[in-house]
Amino acid sequence: MSHAPYCTCRPGATIWLTGLPSAGKSTIARAVAELLRARDRRVEVLDGDELRMSLSPELGFSPEDRRRNVQRIGLVAEVLARNGVTVLVPVIAPYADVREAVRTRHEKSGTAFVEVHVATPVEVCSARDVKGLYAKQATGQISGLTGVDAPYEVPKAPDLRIESHLQTVDESAAAVQTLLIEKGLA
């Protein structure tokens, strides 16, 4: 289905930040959003955790449910982006085929899609353990933690790879903004 963009003067885009739990995806996305708002851009952050609770509360964490959740988030992002919004999507999205399907959906509607891999090693993510997931997995309270006992397929050719453990949040956000400027999306 092809749609004309809402705003032709400023194209929207989806910036998809993928990585392990506690990699820094949401923190970087919020920092990029502030930089873009300062440039007078229409910006939305579609946080994976928030959307899972509101958009997909009936889904669990089976591979099929994870795929379905990512597809739903991808649809919402594409609709917003094709209507002139810059959409930042910090979401684990562990499977390469589903990330590619989201990219293809964007391409079919003529909407820009940028994949950013927040490439933080699992050891660093575990030490950060923002939500306590790694501790719960280590004690057997949960299973299926992406990157530990559930798969995470690392993007082979992302538009940008950020090693958040080697730079500040501001440096990471600036790298994303620079890429968007280079692509005419900021």
Side-chain angles (χ1 to χ4, degrees), residues 4 39 52 56 79 82 85 90-91 106 119 121 125 139-140 177 181:
R39 296 175 67 89
R52 180 173 267 285
S56 300
V79 168
R82 86 168 118 89
V85 178
V91 62
H106 281 71
C125 295
T139 62
Q177 182 183 34
I181 290 169

Side-chain angles (χ1 to χ4, degrees), residues 47 59 61 64 132:
D47 184 83
L59 297 179
F61 291 91
E64 187 51 43

Side-chain angles (χ1 to χ4, degrees), residues 18 103 115-117 155-161:
T18 180
R103 178 187 296 272
E115 183 180 50
V116 177
H117 177 212
K156 291 186 174 146
D159 297 288
L160 178 65
R161 192 176 312 277

Side-chain angles (χ1 to χ4, degrees), residues 18-50:
T18 180
L20 297 175
S22 297
K25 302 175 299 296
S26 295
T27 303
I28 293 167
R30 286 190 297 273
V32 172
E34 290 308 310
L35 291 174
L36 294 173
R37 287 183 183 118
R39 296 175 67 89
D40 204 28
R41 296 295 305 202
R42 295 172 56 203
V43 178
E44 286 293 333
V45 177
L46 300 180
D47 184 83
D49 292 333
E50 293 172 9

Side-chain angles (χ1 to χ4, degrees), residues 4 16 66 71 85 92 99 140 166 169 179 181:
W16 193 273
R66 289 175 192 240
Q71 289 169 342
V85 178
I92 295 167
R99 293 191 307 262
L166 300 178
V169 171
L179 176 66
I181 290 169

Side-chain angles (χ1 to χ4, degrees), residues 78-135:
E78 187 270 327
V79 168
L80 287 168
R82 86 168 118 89
N83 284 284
V85 178
T86 300
V87 186
L88 295 144
V89 186
V91 62
I92 295 167
Y95 304 114
D97 63 331
V98 180
R99 293 191 307 262
E100 186 57 34
V102 170
R103 178 187 296 272
T104 299
R105 172 180 201 84
H106 281 71
E107 289 171 354
K108 285 181 179 177
S109 72
T111 305
F113 180 90
V114 176
E115 183 180 50
V116 177
H117 177 212
V118 183
T120 309
V122 69
E123 300 80 23
V124 174
C125 295
S126 179
R128 289 178 181 169
D129 204 8
V130 177
K131 298 172 195 126
L133 297 174
Y134 292 92

Side-chain angles (χ1 to χ4, degrees), residues 121-186:
V122 69
E123 300 80 23
V124 174
C125 295
S126 179
R128 289 178 181 169
D129 204 8
V130 177
K131 298 172 195 126
L133 297 174
Y134 292 92
K136 288 179 182 177
Q137 191 277 335
T139 62
Q141 295 176 50
I142 64 169
S143 63
L145 182 59
T146 304
V148 178
D149 60 350
Y152 177 76
E153 297 170 0
V154 175
K156 291 186 174 146
D159 297 288
L160 178 65
R161 192 176 312 277
I162 292 176
E163 296 184 357
S164 70
H165 60 295
L166 300 178
Q167 59 191 42
T168 67
V169 171
D170 289 342
E171 291 168 334
S172 297
V176 174
Q177 182 183 34
T178 297
L179 176 66
L180 297 177
I181 290 169
E182 288 171 358
K183 290 181 171 287
L185 301 172

